C-alpha cells in the first residue's frame, strides 16, 4: 500500500512538473509540444507493457477489431476525446489558462459522481450530496459572474466522464485500450510536428535535451500512475487523485496567474466540496482497515 501511495503521489508530482515544463519549451506551440509528447511516450509505454505482460491486452483488442471492424470507429472517438484532453494540458500553461484547467480537474470528481448517478443509477452517499451542494454554490457564483464556465473548465470536467463512459461501453477500459488510444492519436501528433517550424529546434539547441526529457517525464508519470492503480484499493487511489489539481493550481500561480477577488466564491466552495469527498474517502479507507484487522 505504501509503495502504491508513493507511486500515486509521484505521478501527480510528475504531471505537475510536466505542466510547468511546458513553459520552458517556448517558442514551440502547444500543438508541437503535444505531438512530441505523444511521439516519445508511446514507445516507453509499449516497453512497459511488454515487460509487465500487459501486451496481451493490446493484442486482444486488435483481434476484436479484426472480428468487428465497426469497433474501430468507437475507438477513434475514444482516442479523439483523450487526445483533446492531452493537447489542452500542453496548451493551457502557454496561454495563461492553467487556473481554468485546474478548476476543471477540481470539478471532475463531482461530475464523475453525477455521471455514475445519471448513467449507471449509482446512489449518492450523504457526504457526496453535501459535496455536490457545496460545488453547486461555486458553480452558481461562476454563472452569476460570467454567465458560464470557461470552455477549458467544461472540456475537462465534462470531457473525461464522456471518455470513461465510452471506454466502458466499448469494453476498452484497460491498459490495452489506452495503448490503442495513443496509437490512433499518433498520426495527428506527427502532423502537428511536421506543421511546426523545424528551424525553431535548430535555433534553440536546448530543445535537443528538453524534448526527450519531456517524453521521459510523460512516460514516467503514466507508468507510475498505472502501477499505483494496481497496488492500491480503488477508494485509496481515488482519494489520491485530488493531489494533482492542488499541484496544478500551485503551478498556475507560479506561472504568474492569480485568483481574482470575485473568483474566490467559485474556488472556495468547490475546494470545500473536494475536502468533503476526501473526508469520505478517508473514512472509507479507515473502515476497510478496521475490517481487515478484525
Amino acid at each position: 500500500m505504501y509503495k502504491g501511495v508513493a507511486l500515486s503521489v509521484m505521478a501527480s508530482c510528475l504531471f505537475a512538473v510536466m505542466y510547468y515544463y511546458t513553459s520552458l519549451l517556448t517558442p514551440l506551440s502547444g500543438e508541437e509540444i503535444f505531438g512530441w509528447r505523444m511521439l516519445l511516450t508511446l514507445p516507453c509505454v509499449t516497453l512497459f507493457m511488454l515487460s509487465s505482460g500487459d501486451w496481451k491486452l493490446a493484442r486482444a483488442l486488435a483481434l476484436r477489431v479484426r472480428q468487428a471492424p465497426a469497433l474501430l470507429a468507437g475507438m477513434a472517438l475514444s482516442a479523439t476525446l483523450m487526445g483533446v484532453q492531452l493537447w489542452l494540458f500542453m496548451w493551457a500553461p502557454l496561454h495563461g489558462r492553467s487556473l481554468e484547467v485546474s478548476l476543471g480537474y477540481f470539478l471532475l470528481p463531482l461530475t464523475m459522481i453525477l455521471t455514475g448517478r445519471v448513467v449507471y443509477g449509482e446512489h449518492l452517499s450523504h457526504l457526496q450530496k453535501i459535496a455536490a451542494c457545496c460545488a453547486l454554490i461555486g458553480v452558481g457564483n461562476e454563472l452569476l459572474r460570467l454567465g458560464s464556465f470557461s470552455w477549458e473548465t467544461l472540456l475537462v470536467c465534462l470531457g473525461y466522464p464522456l471518455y470513461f463512459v465510452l471506454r466502458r461501453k466499448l469494453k476498452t477500459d484497460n491498459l490495452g485500450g489506452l495503448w490503442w488510444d495513443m496509437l490512433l492519436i499518433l498520426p495527428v501528433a506527427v502532423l502537428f510536428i511536421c506543421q511546426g517550424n523545424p528551424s525553431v529546434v535548430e535555433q534553440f539547441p536546448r530543445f535537443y535535451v528538453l524534448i526527450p526529457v519531456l517524453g521521459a517525464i510523460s512516460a514516467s508519470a503514466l507508468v507510475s500512475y498505472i502501477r499505483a492503480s494496481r497496488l492500491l484499493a480503488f477508494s485509496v487511489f481515488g482519494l489520491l487523485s485530488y493531489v494533482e489539481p492542488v499541484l496544478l493550481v500551485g503551478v498556475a500561480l507560479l506561472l504568474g496567474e492569480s485568483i481574482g477577488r470575485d473568483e474566490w466564491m467559485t474556488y472556495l466552495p468547490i475546494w470545500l466540496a473536494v475536502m468533503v469527498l476526501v473526508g469520505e474517502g478517508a473514512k472509507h479507507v479507515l473502515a476497510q482497515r478496521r475490517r481487515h484487522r478484525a
Side-chain angles (χ1 to χ4, degrees):
M1 177 178 174
Y2 296 111
K3 184 178 180 182
V5 169
L7 284 168
S8 179
V9 172
M10 183 170 76
S12 293
C13 290
L14 286 171
F15 281 126
V17 167
M18 187 163 53
Y19 209 46
Y20 178 80
Y21 194 85
T22 304
S23 65
L24 304 179
L25 295 174
T26 53
L28 291 179
S29 67
E31 288 75 21
E32 289 176 278
I33 297 171
F34 162 79
W36 282 113
R37 178 187 176 186
M38 291 294 97
L39 187 63
L40 295 170
T41 302
L42 184 60
C44 297
V45 174
T46 303
L47 288 174
F48 171 76
M49 291 176 66
L50 288 170
S51 64
S52 65
D54 289 310
W55 185 245
K56 60 186 177 184
L57 298 173
R59 287 205 314 268
L61 197 46
L63 181 61
R64 286 181 58 199
V65 170
R66 198 174 298 120
Q67 294 171 344
L71 176 62
L72 193 59
M75 290 168 59
L77 177 57
S78 171
T80 300
L81 290 171
M82 176 187 173
V84 170
Q85 297 292 348
L86 296 179
W87 162 79
L88 180 62
F89 196 84
M90 298 286 93
W91 175 89
L94 297 177
H95 294 81
R97 308 297 289 176
S98 300
L99 279 174
E100 286 77 8
V101 170
S102 65
L103 181 60
Y105 279 102
F106 273 113
L107 281 170
L108 182 57
L110 298 159
T111 55
M112 290 291 285
I113 289 171
L114 293 175
T115 300
R117 178 72 182 95
V118 173
V119 178
Y120 301 111
E122 298 173 357
H123 293 287
L124 300 183
S125 68
H126 180 64
L127 286 176
Q128 286 173 346
K129 290 177 182 177
I130 293 174
C133 289
C134 291
L136 192 60
I137 295 172
V139 169
N141 181 73
E142 193 69 3
L143 292 176
L144 287 173
R145 196 174 71 87
L146 297 176
S148 66
F149 277 101
S150 70
W151 65 267
E152 298 94 342
T153 299
L154 291 174
L155 188 59
V156 172
C157 70
L158 299 180
Y160 268 119
L162 182 60
Y163 171 68
F164 291 129
V165 167
L166 178 62
R167 288 189 68 189
R168 184 176 290 191
K169 179 75 173 176
L170 297 174
K171 295 183 174 61
T172 60
D173 50 340
N174 55 44
L175 193 54
L178 177 65
W179 185 87
W180 272 96
D181 281 344
M182 296 179 69
L183 180 68
L184 292 172
I185 291 170
L186 198 59
V188 178
V190 173
L191 179 64
F192 283 158
I193 294 172
C194 293
Q195 285 182 337
N197 186 356
S199 64
V200 171
V201 178
E202 297 172 5
Q203 291 171 9
F204 300 92
R206 69 177 187 275
F207 286 152
Y208 289 110
V209 175
L210 292 177
I211 290 174
V213 171
L214 171 69
I217 294 171
S218 177
S220 300
L222 191 58
V223 169
S224 299
Y225 187 79
I226 293 166
R227 291 182 64 195
S229 70
R230 294 174 172 179
L231 292 171
L232 293 171
F234 189 79
S235 56
V236 181
F237 184 64
L239 189 62
L240 289 168
S241 69
Y242 299 125
V243 173
E244 186 178 340
V246 172
L247 294 175
L248 294 186
V249 169
V251 171
L253 297 176
L254 192 62
L255 290 173
E257 297 185 43
S258 60
I259 300 174
R261 186 177 300 176
D262 57 344
E263 294 177 294
W264 281 108
M265 275 306 293
T266 296
Y267 281 89
L268 289 176
I270 290 172
W271 291 346
L272 179 60
V274 169
M275 289 175 64
V276 170
L277 293 179
V278 169
E280 183 190 44
K283 180 181 175 183
H284 182 63
V285 169
L286 291 173
Q288 278 189 327
R289 292 184 68 180
R290 282 195 294 267
R291 281 199 297 271
H292 283 311
R293 287 174 181 174

